[in-house]
Amino acid sequence: MSECDSRNYRAKEEIVVKDFQAEDQILFEAIEAYKNGNGDKATIIYESTKKYTFKILHKGVERYKNQGALTGDVVSIAEDIMQELYIEFFNKIANFRNEDPKSIFKWISVVAQRRLSTYVKENGMELLQFEK
């Protein structure tokens, strides 16, 4: 890579990082505004986190389905769990500690795993272990 190409690459990388940081800051501020009663910010929070949330849930549902613990459409199950996750989030947002712009993603990851486990226990097939 030439020196010119290298500079262009670094410049593009910096723009992406700045855009990502700006998006994180917007999300951080939207969560704080929602906590303070601005219900219009729910859309920003949801739109900013839905792809991440769906990706985690889809991967988990697919894993359980491959193990035989779940049957059904992976996308539909992930969407059902995602809906429950956001209902919980918006109902409990007053208790959410928005410590930094990444807090929401940490929370989503933990709650998604917990919601997925609960879903499997309530709706999944029991994995039978046969004795020899």
Side-chain angles (χ1 to χ4, degrees), residues 62-78:
E62 200 167 49
R63 185 180 69 243
Y64 278 114
K65 187 171 182 176
N66 290 340
Q67 293 172 355
L70 288 174
T71 59
D73 180 54
V74 173
V75 171
S76 295
I77 294 169

Side-chain angles (χ1 to χ4, degrees), residues 7 10 21 26 33 37 46 57 61 67 73 88-89 93 101 104 112 121-122:
R7 274 188 261 141
R10 281 194 305 268
Q21 289 171 341
I26 290 168
Y46 175 74
L57 290 170
V61 170
Q67 293 172 355
D73 180 54
E88 178 180 349
F89 175 73
I93 197 162
I104 183 70
K121 287 176 189 171
E122 293 174 353

Side-chain angles (χ1 to χ4, degrees), residues 1 5-21:
M1 182 182 298
D5 289 341
S6 180
R7 274 188 261 141
N8 286 337
Y9 180 78
R10 281 194 305 268
K12 287 178 185 175
E13 219 174 38
E14 288 174 16
I15 291 169
V16 169
V17 169
K18 287 178 184 174
D19 287 347
F20 187 70
Q21 289 171 341

Side-chain angles (χ1 to χ4, degrees), residues 64 69-70 114-125:
Y64 278 114
L70 288 174
R114 190 177 73 230
R115 284 271 171 199
L116 182 57
S117 294
T118 300
Y119 185 90
V120 171
K121 287 176 189 171
E122 293 174 353
N123 302 290
M125 299 169 57

Side-chain angles (χ1 to χ4, degrees), residues 10-119:
R10 281 194 305 268
K12 287 178 185 175
E13 219 174 38
E14 288 174 16
I15 291 169
V16 169
V17 169
K18 287 178 184 174
D19 287 347
F20 187 70
Q21 289 171 341
E23 289 174 18
D24 282 351
Q25 188 61 35
I26 290 168
L27 177 58
F28 181 80
E29 291 169 3
I31 292 168
E32 287 305 306
Y34 187 87
K35 286 173 70 173
N36 292 319
N38 186 344
D40 294 341
K41 299 298 181 180
T43 302
I44 292 172
I45 296 166
Y46 175 74
E47 291 296 326
S48 298
T49 59
K50 71 180 182 181
K51 287 181 184 175
Y52 176 80
T53 305
F54 183 78
K55 183 178 176 182
I56 289 173
L57 290 170
H58 187 273
K59 192 180 212 179
V61 170
E62 200 167 49
R63 185 180 69 243
Y64 278 114
K65 187 171 182 176
N66 290 340
Q67 293 172 355
L70 288 174
T71 59
D73 180 54
V74 173
V75 171
S76 295
I77 294 169
E79 288 173 344
D80 288 346
I81 298 169
M82 191 165 135
Q83 183 177 14
E84 292 174 13
L85 183 147
Y86 280 103
I87 290 169
E88 178 180 349
F89 175 73
F90 288 113
N91 285 335
K92 295 182 176 182
I93 197 162
N95 299 326
F96 178 70
R97 290 192 329 238
N98 195 22
E99 297 166 346
D100 64 65
K102 302 279 185 224
S103 296
I104 183 70
F105 296 104
K106 294 172 191 172
W107 184 89
I108 286 171
S109 185
V110 169
V111 174
Q113 294 303 320
R114 190 177 73 230
R115 284 271 171 199
L116 182 57
S117 294
T118 300
Y119 185 90

